[in-house]
Amino acid sequence: MKNECLTDDEQDRLDHQFMAKAYQLAQQAEAIDEIPVGAVVVANGEIIGEGFNQSILLNDPSAHAEMLAVRNAGEKIENYRLLDCTLYVTLEPCTMCAGLLIHSRIKRLVFATTDLKTGAAGSAFDLVTHEKHNHRIDITTGIMKEACSTLLSDFFKRRRAEKKALKKKNK
């Protein structure tokens, strides 16, 4: 569900603006050799939380971009409920992050590219709109899809090449 006060063009412009910020955060994750995923939480047209993957850096399997952005937003607004907020993320959330979004009551999820193996917002699973939950999230997909997909694909190609080179070296 888009903001009813905005035209479709205005909403699209804002979606691209906030996804561009999430993309910048994904690049920060890549710079520290984390899977390049970035996320921002927006309320009333303002970023109130942001994060990028830091599971390796923090030795924390829950340190996904969405988790860090939602935690940051909750601290900022001093509330564990993020009513009327939108999460922008470069990759479809996993099951852990989808559960987080349901419990935090995020109103809208905007993600760039699907994750056919572990995505939990309609690709591999569909937790965020499941009928048994008492909260469902509006979803928009495909904003900056090509750029975000390329960033992820290039990252994993590089990682595979590095592993292959290391195996070859150790033979």
Side-chain angles (χ1 to χ4, degrees), residues 76-105:
K76 182 164 185 170
I77 66 168
E78 298 180 340
N79 196 332
Y80 73 107
R81 297 285 195 217
L82 301 178
L83 305 173
D84 298 321
C85 292
T86 299
L87 175 77
Y88 292 85
V89 63
T90 57
L91 179 65
E92 180 181 2
C94 68
T95 55
M96 174 181 68
C97 293
L100 168 75
L101 301 180
I102 293 163
H103 289 288
S104 68
R105 303 297 192 262

Side-chain angles (χ1 to χ4, degrees), residues 25 44 49 87 165 167:
L25 292 165
N44 300 316
L87 175 77
K167 277 185 180 180

